[in-house]
């Protein structure tokens, strides 16, 4: 019900705005999981509110739009505010295949991922702090230093213990 209310509010506010507010809308729509709407806003931000030198335009310049735009892209690719890492939570149709490296998730995890047809094919997670990593995934195993790591899967969320400065690879 809360998400439906948020979507209604965003719809009523409309999509046209200055660079910083357009970037804010981009992030909000990405949080709702509507990747195609977020992508349209990203396209508008880059096409209508960005100067040729890549500065966000709001006479004369507005850094909030630049930072917000990059944050919006990250929000489309990875979210971790629900207590677990979710990959491609707001991936638009235009991003059917792709990859990213070095996106940060809560609790000190740094994630690299590749996907084809919206299915993850490669995921590595570096644990900066150690602790339990929770990720929404259909992986079959988790590997660290060539060894299988004990994992639990509950309702599509895979959990495994990590050590600081170790990298974990999900096996599909």
């Amino acid at each position: 019900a809360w998400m439906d209310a948020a979507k209604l509010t965003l719809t009523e506010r409309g999509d046209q705005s200055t660079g910083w507010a357009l970037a804010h809308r981009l992030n909000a729509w990405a949080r709702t999981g509507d990747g195609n709407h977020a992508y349209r806003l990203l396209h508008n931000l880059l096409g209508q509110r960005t100067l040729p030198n890549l500065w966000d335009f709001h006479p004369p310049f507005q850094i909030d739009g630049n930072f917000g735009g990059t944050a919006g892209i990250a929000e489309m690719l990875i979210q971790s505010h629900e207590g677990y890492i979710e990959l491609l939570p707001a991936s638009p149709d235009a991003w059917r295949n792709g990859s990213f490296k070095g996106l940060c998730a809560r609790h000190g995890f740094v994630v690299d991922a590749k996907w084809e047809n919206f299915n993850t094919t490669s995921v590595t997670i570096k644990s900066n702090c150690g602790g339990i990593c929770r990720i929404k995934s259909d992986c079959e195993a988790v590997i660290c230093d060539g060894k299988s790591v004990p994992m639990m899967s509950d309702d599509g969320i895979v959990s495994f213990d990590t050590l600081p400065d170790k990298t974990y690879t999900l096996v599909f």
Side-chain angles (χ1 to χ4, degrees):
W2 287 104
M3 190 60 76
D4 290 339
K7 288 178 183 179
L8 180 60
T9 300
L10 288 167
T11 300
E12 291 296 318
R13 292 192 71 168
D15 291 343
Q16 297 304 313
S17 194
T18 61
W20 71 266
L22 192 57
H24 181 263
R25 285 168 172 78
L26 160 63
N27 278 274
W29 277 106
R31 183 59 63 95
T32 71
D34 190 335
N36 288 323
H37 199 131
Y39 184 75
R40 278 196 311 273
L41 293 171
L42 176 61
H43 188 267
N44 291 345
L45 180 65
L46 293 174
Q48 299 172 8
R49 306 301 308 168
T50 303
L51 297 168
N53 64 2
L54 298 181
W55 285 4
D56 181 74
F57 177 71
H58 183 76
F61 165 66
Q62 192 176 65
I63 195 68
D64 306 42
N66 290 95
F67 290 155
T70 56
I73 293 168
E75 191 76 10
M76 293 167 74
L77 296 172
I78 186 172
Q79 294 180 18
S80 58
H81 62 279
E82 293 286 340
Y84 58 86
I85 298 167
E86 183 175 5
L87 303 175
L88 310 177
S91 180
D93 294 339
W95 294 354
R96 177 170 299 283
N97 304 308
S99 66
F100 64 78
K101 289 185 177 197
L103 289 182
C104 296
R106 292 171 196 243
H107 307 294
F109 298 110
V110 180
V111 182
D112 299 347
K114 292 181 185 179
W115 65 94
E116 293 178 11
N117 293 320
F118 301 112
N119 295 310
T120 51
T121 58
S122 172
V123 176
T124 59
I125 301 170
K126 182 179 183 221
S127 177
N128 286 330
C129 305
I132 296 175
C133 179
R134 300 180 74 231
I135 183 166
K136 187 175 185 177
S137 177
D138 60 354
C139 70
E140 297 174 8
V142 178
I143 305 293
C144 179
D145 293 334
K147 297 176 186 169
S148 182
V149 174
M151 64 176 228
M152 292 178 46
S153 184
D154 183 26
D155 201 25
I157 308 297
V158 172
S159 301
F160 56 95
D161 200 19
T162 69
L163 296 172
D165 298 318
K166 291 289 186 177
T167 299
Y168 299 83
T169 302
L170 277 58
V171 179
F172 296 92

